[in-house]
């Protein structure tokens, strides 16, 4: 269950071109990785959903890319500013069910933040992270185990993360399950690879939101043959049902 | 102390604040943020006989002072509502208004029949811009509006409120036609048809291309429509459209509303209706108003 909170900005740091690391003291207690907060940005009618990238001693870590006016305004927040937020919202990644092998985290670009939170709070993870180029890499050094891919080959492997995942599964590495977050094409490709190998897979979906609490039905995605609410039924969905057309 | 109680077509409410249809689900979600029994009434998400999956996403686009939506009346159908949702609402001290729609006058009547007297009032949505009801937009033609009103009134066991659209040239004539066909009350306004385009991709933001504009951007249009419809038809009105403060609520009532709906303001402030009620109560207190219902239609128009 989410709450409305008034937080205080502790710091805003630039991680890469147009990507910021925001720390907000808000009193969230142990929100599960994969859950998100819904931030009010003064002057904008709608709140902005941002996944938790961490939460220690009530200080939430939010890593976001500047896309439009709302995130640009957030990048200009300063320590001491107050932030009106709803959180923590939605369902996080499921806990390990005891299956043999590692949890493989497949992430692309600004999809990395919730996966980092998961990696820092769970044992036995391995992350396959993809970025457009070396200049776009964020958070990679913070994962306990990570392999880097770039679309242009300027750092790490010159391939897409789902292709590396496929290699891993082909080589019969023990993979208990896969958690994925990133651009939709990457999520679809990852889900497809997992389906082929019979590996459980969970994806974090993204949709434009209104209320954020499950009441307005604007944030839906197709799942299990119906439209489900990303804010309340997700944002994490079992890849086996996610995207199944209505 | 101001007496906050109001009555809409004989249906009592302990205060004039109503959560509007489509922004409040069936009440459960917001009940986690405030006790929904604090509200006068709740209009449930639009219902039809057999339910609807709704439109493909994206279904929302931000706009100055509000947003566009193209939900497309996603709902589980009346049977599921009666089974899964109404029992919860009946544990609350709140007037329940069942919002219904259909593709034909017969479908509207069937929806009303299925609901019987389970809700305290029916709100008949003839004005959703996201659905072409069999090619007819009932709210834009006084004759079609009257036909639906008559069909529902024939079978309804509770007072009937017709929800009007602002997307018409003469809202007064639609209001009068509904009254003449037997409507007990009116609610307005539904959303205004709009559009947003991403200039980089040249794609509409909404998957349905167009959608309904709501939020404070539409407040002056709503006040105008409420004033015109209430004055022309002389029926009680639930006024809605962009209400986001206690002074907005007072203005809506002075224009002619007996009760005031709040929707899009919830997206910014999940406790908006209770805040607005508090602000309205304080405003009434400062102005020595004994009965909030005395505000209704008190505009001193030129
Ligand atoms: C559950 C969830 C978690 C997210 N986590 C993160 C995160 O950790 N880091 C991050 O950088 N981004 C994240 N996003 C995406 C982020 O919400 C958008 O980039 C942001 O809302 C864009 O706002 P804007 O004002 O800059 O852009 P504008 O395009 O000006 O925004 C206009 C409207 O569209 C909405 N919108 C635009 N793009 C998106 C999008 N991709 N997803 C949802 N709504 C959108 C905005 O919220 C706003 O209502 C997440 C989205 C969801 C749904
Ligand atoms: C997301 C959303 C869904 C809506 N769904 C319905 C609906 O199902 N039936 C209906 O009659 N009106 C619906 N409406 C219209 C509202 O009930 C209301 O008339 C309109 O939004 C104006 O009020 P507001 O500006 O306070 O939101 C919806 C509005 C929004 C924003
Ligand atoms: S944003 Fe309202 S239901 Fe998800």
């Amino acid at each position: 269950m989410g709450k409305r909170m008034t937080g205080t900005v502790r710091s805003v740091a630039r991680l890469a071109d147009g990507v910021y690391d925001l720390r907000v003291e808000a009193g969230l207690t142990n929100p599960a990785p994969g859950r998100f907060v819904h931030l009010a940005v003064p002057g904008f009618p709608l709140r902005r959903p941002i996944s938790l990238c961490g939460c220690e001693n009530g200080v939430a870590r939010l890593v976001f890319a500047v896309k439009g006016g709302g995130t640009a305004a957030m990048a200009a927040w300063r320590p001491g500013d107050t932030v009106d937020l709803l959180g923590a919202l939605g369902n996080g990644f499921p806990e390990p069910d005891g299956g043999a092998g590692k949890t493989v985290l497949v992430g692309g670009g600004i999809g990395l933040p919730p996966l980092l939170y998961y990696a820092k709070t769970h044992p036995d993870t391995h992350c396959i992270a993809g970025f457009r180029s070396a200049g776009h890499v964020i958070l990679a050094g913070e994962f306990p185990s990570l392999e880097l891919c770039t679309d242009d080959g300027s750092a790490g492997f010159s391939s897409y993360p789902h292709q590396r995942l496929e290699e891993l599964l082909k080589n019969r590495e023990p993979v208990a399950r896969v958690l994925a977050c990133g651009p939709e094409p990457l999520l679809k490709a990852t889900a497809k690879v997992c389906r082929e190998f019979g590996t459980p897979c969970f994806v974090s979906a993204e949709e434009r939101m209104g209320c954020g609490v499950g009441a307005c039905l604007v944030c839906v995605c197709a799942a299990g043959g119906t439209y489900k609410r990303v804010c309340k039924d997700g944002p994490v969905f079992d890849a086996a049902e996610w995207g199944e057309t209505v | 102390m101001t007496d906050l109680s109001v009555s809409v077509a004989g249906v009592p409410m302990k205060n004039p604040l109503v959560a509007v249809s489509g922004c409040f689900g069936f009440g459960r979600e917001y009940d986690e943020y405030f006790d929904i029994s604090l509200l006068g009434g709740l209009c449930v998400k639009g219902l039809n006989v057999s339910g609807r999956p709704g439109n493909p996403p994206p279904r929302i686009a931000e706009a100055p002072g509000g947003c566009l939506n193209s939900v497309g009346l996603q709902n589980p159908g009346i049977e599921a509502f009666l089974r899964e949702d109404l029992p919860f609402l009946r544990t609350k001290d709140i007037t329940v208004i069942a919002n219904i729609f259909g593709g034909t006058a017969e479908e509207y009547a069937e929806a009303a029949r299925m609901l019987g007297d389970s809700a305290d009032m029916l709100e008949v949505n003839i004005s959703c811009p996201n659905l072409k009801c069999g090619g007819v937009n009932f709210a834009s033609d006084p004759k079609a509006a009257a036909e639906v009103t008559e069909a529902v009134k024939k079978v309804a066991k509770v007072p009937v409120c017709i929800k009007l659209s602002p997307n018409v040239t003469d809202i007064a004539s639609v209001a009068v036609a509904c009254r003449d066909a037997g409507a007990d009350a009116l609610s307005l306004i539904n959303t205004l048809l709009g559009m947003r385009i991403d200039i980089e991709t040249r794609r509409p933001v909404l998957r349905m291309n167009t959608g309904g504009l709501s939020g404070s951007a539409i407040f002056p249009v709503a006040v105008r429509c409420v004033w015109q419809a209430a004055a022309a038809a002389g029926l009680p009105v639930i006024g809605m459209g962009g209400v986001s403060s206690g002074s907005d609520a007072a203005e809506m009532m002075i224009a002619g509303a007996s009760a005031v709906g709040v929707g899009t303001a919830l997206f910014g402030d999940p406790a908006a209706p209770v805040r607005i009620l508090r602000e309205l109560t304080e405003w009434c207190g400062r102005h020595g108003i004994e009965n909030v219902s005395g505000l209704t239609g008190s505009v001193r128009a030129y």
Side-chain angles (χ1 to χ4, degrees):
Chain A
M1 172 175 145
K3 279 206 185 78
R4 186 182 193 182
M5 309 178 169
T6 303
T8 307
V9 173
R10 284 279 162 262
S11 61
V12 189
R14 190 179 156 281
L15 291 186
D17 203 18
V19 182
Y20 293 83
D21 183 340
L22 167 69
R23 311 286 172 119
V24 180
E25 188 164 351
L28 289 165
T29 43
N30 298 321
R35 304 190 74 190
F36 67 98
V37 295
H38 211 21
L39 298 165
V41 186
F44 293 83
L46 299 179
R47 289 169 178 267
R48 272 33 182 190
I50 302 289
S51 294
L52 286 156
C53 177
C55 190
E56 271 177 54
N57 305 320
V59 179
R61 181 184 190 190
L62 305 168
V63 171
F64 65 91
V66 172
K67 287 282 162 70
T71 45
M74 284 161 55
W77 284 350
R78 290 296 162 252
D81 287 354
T82 54
V83 181
D84 167 358
L85 60 89
L86 307 181
L89 303 178
N91 300 307
F93 295 111
E95 288 298 314
D97 60 3
K102 284 183 185 303
T103 298
V104 173
L105 311 172
V106 175
I110 200 63
L112 267 291
L115 299 178
L116 176 60
Y117 186 19
Y118 187 91
K120 283 191 167 174
T121 49
H122 293 77
D124 278 340
T125 62
H126 175 66
C127 180
I128 309 174
F131 299 92
R132 259 180 288 160
S133 72
H136 291 91
V137 176
I138 50 161
L139 307 175
E142 297 188 51
F143 284 82
S145 164
L146 176 132
E147 59 188 270
L148 186 64
C149 310
T150 50
D151 301 355
D152 66 357
S154 54
F157 294 99
S158 175
S159 62
Y160 293 106
H162 67 276
Q163 296 171 322
R164 296 292 310 158
L165 173 69
E166 193 169 6
E167 290 296 305
L168 223 99
L169 293 169
K170 267 190 190 147
N171 294 337
R172 299 181 184 281
E173 300 274 345
V175 175
R177 57 208 191 114
V178 171
L179 311 180
C181 186
E184 195 168 305
L186 175 64
L187 299 186
K188 289 213 161 120
T190 303
K192 183 162 173 277
V193 169
C194 289
R195 205 156 37 239
E196 279 162 19
F197 287 87
T199 309
C201 175
F202 299 87
V203 300
S204 178
E206 215 175 86
E207 226 0 290
R208 286 168 188 258
M209 290 185 179
C211 69
V213 305
C216 75
L217 307 182
V218 305
C219 65
V220 300
C221 67
T226 61
Y227 285 125
K228 292 200 174 159
R229 301 163 299 181
V230 169
C231 71
K232 189 83 175 180
D233 306 312
V236 176
F237 290 93
D238 187 334
E241 66 157 23
W242 176 71
E244 203 179 298
T245 46
V246 174
Chain B
M1 272 292 275
T2 310
D3 178 356
L4 291 171
S5 65
V6 298
S7 151
V8 179
V11 177
M13 292 193 227
K14 63 185 173 299
N15 68 60
L17 263 289
V18 173
V20 306
S21 177
C23 295
F24 210 74
F26 301 113
R28 268 200 198 85
E29 291 81 11
Y30 279 109
D31 196 51
E32 293 182 5
Y33 287 81
F34 64 88
D35 180 2
I36 63 170
S37 293
L38 292 168
L39 302 184
L42 180 166
C43 304
V44 305
K45 175 66 192 170
L47 298 164
N48 67 335
V49 171
S50 47
R52 266 177 72 88
N55 291 328
R59 292 177 172 183
I60 188 165
E62 198 171 44
C67 59
L68 302 171
N69 88 84
S70 56
V71 171
L73 298 170
Q74 175 176 341
N75 81 93
I78 289 172
E79 264 175 39
F81 163 73
L82 291 174
R83 198 176 56 238
E84 320 263 335
D85 302 297
L86 187 66
F88 165 75
L89 290 174
R90 284 308 183 201
T91 67
K92 299 286 169 179
D93 175 22
I94 192 167
T95 296
V96 177
I97 302 169
N99 182 288
I100 57 169
F101 70 94
T104 60
E106 294 70 48
E107 278 178 38
Y108 278 96
E110 179 57 18
R113 201 176 297 121
M114 285 172 78
L115 283 159
D117 61 357
S118 59
D120 302 306
M121 191 189 289
L122 296 180
E123 181 182 54
V124 181
N125 178 12
I126 56 169
S127 48
C128 182
N130 293 321
L131 196 71
K132 281 183 213 73
C133 301
V136 191
N137 184 349
F138 295 105
S140 58
D141 172 10
K143 252 177 63 195
E147 193 190 318
V148 174
T149 306
E150 229 173 81
V152 172
K153 268 305 283 183
K154 228 178 254 165
V155 296
K157 296 221 161 62
V158 293
V160 172
C161 170
I162 307 292
K163 185 161 178 179
L164 303 184
S165 168
N167 304 315
V168 297
T169 36
D170 181 10
I171 198 161
S173 65
V174 186
V176 167
C178 292
R179 179 201 62 199
D180 292 346
D184 301 295
L186 302 171
S187 67
L188 58 150
I189 58 177
N190 209 316
T191 55
L192 286 138
L193 197 56
M195 183 175 191
R196 296 300 312 263
I197 300 167
D198 180 331
I199 59 171
E200 301 304 323
T201 61
R202 303 195 188 190
R203 282 284 203 181
V205 176
L206 297 171
R207 182 66 180 70
M208 299 302 288
N209 298 319
T210 61
L213 180 64
S214 61
S216 48
I218 70 172
F219 181 67
V221 178
V223 172
R224 184 268 296 174
C225 290
V226 165
W227 176 59
Q228 289 180 329
L235 287 177
V237 167
I238 305 176
M240 60 188 72
V243 173
S244 54
S245 68
S247 51
D248 290 350
E251 187 171 338
M252 202 55 114
M253 294 188 76
I254 291 167
S258 297
V260 178
V262 176
T264 301
L266 285 155
F267 299 171
D269 174 3
V274 279
R275 172 180 53 77
I276 293 169
L277 178 62
R278 189 182 65 238
E279 291 168 357
L280 176 66
T281 310
E282 285 166 4
W283 183 87
C284 287
R286 282 200 303 280
H287 291 76
I289 288 166
E290 279 171 24
N291 298 296
V292 74
S293 58
L295 290 176
T296 300
S298 60
V299 57
R300 298 165 56 227
Y302 293 107

